[in-house]
Amino acid sequence: MIKNELEKKFETVFQKKAEATYFAPGRINLIGEHIDYHGGKVLPAAISIGTYGVVKKREDNLIQFYSANFEGEGIYQFTLPVGEYDKKDSWTNYTKGIIKILDDAGYSLSHGFDLLVYGNIPYGSGLSSSASLEVLMAWILKELYNFDYSRVDTAIYTKQSENDYVGVNCGIMDQFAVAMGKVNQAMLLDTNDLSYEYVPIELTDSSILIMNSNRKRGLEDSLYNQRRTESEQAFELINSTLKKEYLSDFTLDELYENKEMISDELLYRRAHHVVSENVRTMEAVQALKNNDLIEFGNLLNQSHASLKNDYEVSSLELDLLVETVQNLEGVYGARMTGAGFGGCAIALVENSQLEKVSEIVKRVYKENTEYEADTYVAEIYNGVQKI
Ligand code: GLA
């Protein structure tokens, strides 16, 4: 449905027929938060909302971008090579960045293309709309120009673009999930060496409920980078004699034994989150394999507490959503998901209670904040693909 509409829209905007249409998902992260830049283990899954791209190659050197989400911005035009990040280029910095990073890696475009994009991930919701757009662009270029990079390479290049071109010091989790997702499977990704394993998400009588605080992340990028700097400082301190490769290589016992090396209490809490979250991810995977949803839910709750108290990346709104549902019947557990500071939380909920839980959390949220919450059941979906 949406595909046909977007192809028609492409024809109207560019006055020619589309060549191909692609879809890149968004993602949720089940557990393993803020540890993908410390070599930790994370458990994201792609979801069925994401970004669509309708494309046609051109004969000349022109690149034209149009977003059906920002129609008022009209068509953006660039000639190859695309040049550096420029604030006035708005959302196209994400797509330009991919072209630039790939060009640096030897994947140069011999000619331009026209691209229409449309995304249905609520912007700023922490469900990775940017990674979705980046991976979409890289995959379209791969297929359009017959480039030989793999899905994992796609994740690596797109993460590099976010780091070096857009300037957010993120880890690889989001881009990996968007490139590698599979229906009803999460990915246990070891961000130390990029080894991974698919973990079936078979929840039988339960579902993952996404709760959107609709509180957009404000200063998110600078706060994200700040947390990263703090936890890196903590790592330097504790690692001065131990020489591990990553903070997440520490066991909790090693952290406790060497506690005095991080004399700053705030930095210690940052390290404590990273080390404990890595342990929780492994335990959560085991719980899923044992079909032990009670244990899995407890780990979600513990993860949230750690993100709230030790890493301080939650927000009043996210805490309200999470803490409201944690106390309801039929809820195994809940936590914020993604970078935090706003955006979404997830909860594992028995299907029979889904409606009631949604209704209560929306009501409580509305009564206590200036926002309204949205809820959706997560459908675990495939990675980027032609549709
Ligand atoms: C953002 C980043 C990811 C990851 C999460 C927190 O989504 O893009 O790399 O660090 O935050 O887990």
Side-chain angles (χ1 to χ4, degrees):
M1 227 287 271
I2 206 166
K3 177 176 184 252
N4 291 342
E5 275 174 39
L6 292 175
E7 288 173 355
K8 271 199 206 124
K9 181 96 198 161
F10 181 97
E11 269 187 70
T12 314
V13 171
F14 294 115
Q15 298 291 307
K16 59 177 87 156
K17 272 211 174 314
E19 185 175 333
T21 301
Y22 292 81
F23 174 74
R27 68 98 189 87
I28 50 173
N29 185 21
L30 295 172
I31 196 162
E33 210 68 85
H34 278 280
I35 59 173
D36 65 340
Y37 45 88
H38 282 299
K41 295 185 181 68
V42 297
L43 191 66
I47 52 177
S48 59
I49 52 174
T51 318
Y52 294 81
V54 187
V55 71
K56 182 166 174 58
K57 255 194 229 172
R58 300 179 59 94
E59 301 293 321
D60 57 16
N61 242 1
L62 193 64
I63 293 182
Q64 302 201 90
F65 293 122
Y66 181 89
S67 167
N69 296 93
F70 303 107
E71 299 201 301
E73 295 186 20
I75 298 178
Y76 286 87
Q77 291 189 325
F78 303 95
T79 43
L80 287 166
V82 289
E84 292 304 325
Y85 183 97
D86 190 336
K87 199 158 180 244
K88 75 169 174 14
D89 294 338
S90 174
W91 65 271
T92 69
N93 280 306
Y94 289 98
T95 42
K96 276 168 58 199
I98 302 302
I99 297 172
K100 173 75 169 48
I101 291 291
L102 286 170
D103 189 58
D104 293 347
Y107 296 104
S108 303
L109 306 191
S110 39
H111 43 77
F113 59 87
D114 296 328
L115 174 69
L116 175 142
V117 301
Y118 169 72
N120 55 9
I121 303 175
Y123 173 72
S125 61
L127 301 176
S128 285
S129 55
S130 54
S132 177
L133 179 57
E134 289 159 348
V135 170
L136 176 81
M137 183 76 264
W139 199 253
I140 287 178
L141 296 180
K142 171 187 161 65
E143 298 219 334
L144 219 54
Y145 298 86
N146 287 317
F147 293 148
D148 63 359
Y149 45 84
S150 65
R151 283 182 182 267
V152 174
D153 298 334
T154 300
I156 294 172
Y157 288 130
T158 51
K159 179 225 177 220
Q160 200 189 330
S161 176
E162 178 95 27
N163 294 162
D164 300 344
Y165 193 89
V166 179
V168 179
N169 230 343
C170 65
I172 198 165
M173 171 173 77
D174 302 348
Q175 289 80 7
F176 190 94
V178 174
M180 299 287 289
K182 280 195 182 166
V183 168
N184 291 338
Q185 316 221 26
M187 290 148 269
L188 172 62
L189 169 66
D190 185 335
T191 59
N192 172 347
D193 58 7
L194 294 192
S195 59
Y196 59 93
E197 175 194 337
Y198 286 97
V199 180
I201 302 295
E202 284 153 2
L203 303 170
T204 41
D205 297 332
S206 303
S207 300
I208 293 161
L209 185 71
I210 301 177
M211 302 175 286
N212 188 351
S213 70
N214 283 317
R215 160 85 200 269
K216 305 222 183 320
R217 296 179 303 168
L219 292 166
E220 82 272 33
D221 299 347
S222 57
L223 285 172
Y224 182 95
N225 288 346
Q226 185 190 331
R227 285 301 175 280
R228 187 169 174 153
T229 308
E230 288 162 356
S231 46
E232 281 168 357
Q233 277 168 2
F235 177 53
E236 248 170 62
L237 290 172
I238 197 168
N239 206 37
S240 48
T241 53
L242 289 157
K243 302 292 173 230
K244 301 227 183 213
E245 202 177 342
Y246 291 106
L247 183 51
S248 56
D249 293 341
F250 280 81
T251 63
L252 273 170
D253 281 343
E254 286 169 335
L255 178 72
Y256 298 147
E257 279 159 22
N258 295 287
K259 187 173 178 180
E260 75 286 353
M261 294 177 78
I262 312 180
S263 53
D264 185 301
E265 186 266 345
L266 181 141
L267 294 186
Y268 177 75
R269 279 190 285 123
R270 303 298 189 246
H272 186 256
H273 167 72
V274 172
V275 174
S276 63
E277 183 76 354
N278 195 43
V279 174
R280 277 188 291 272
T281 306
M282 295 311 293
E283 290 174 351
V285 169
Q286 203 44 55
L288 280 176
K289 287 181 178 168
N290 298 343
N291 227 342
D292 186 347
L293 298 191
I294 294 182
E295 172 68 0
F296 186 75
N298 288 337
L299 290 160
L300 295 183
N301 292 340
Q302 289 167 24
S303 170
H304 186 78
S306 181
L307 289 156
K308 174 184 174 182
N309 302 318
D310 279 351
Y311 220 62
E312 294 180 283
V313 290
S314 188
S315 67
L316 289 178
E317 292 80 10
L318 287 170
D319 290 343
L320 181 63
L321 292 173
V322 166
E323 287 160 14
T324 302
V325 299
Q326 277 173 342
N327 293 317
L328 298 178
E329 195 193 328
V331 176
Y332 289 100
R335 61 182 286 276
M336 52 155 275
T337 190
F341 310 111
C344 287
I346 54 169
L348 179 59
V349 184
E350 278 173 14
N351 290 339
S352 61
Q353 299 296 318
L354 269 174
E355 236 172 85
K356 195 164 166 206
V357 168
S358 288
E359 186 264 311
I360 294 174
V361 74
K362 282 183 182 172
R363 178 166 45 75
V364 171
Y365 191 72
K366 192 173 174 179
E367 281 165 8
N368 291 283
T369 68
E370 49 185 297
Y371 307 97
E372 291 195 31
D374 289 314
T375 57
Y376 348 88
V377 172
E379 206 186 312
I380 309 288
Y381 204 59
N382 283 318
V384 64
Q385 63 195 294
K386 193 172 186 170
I387 54 173

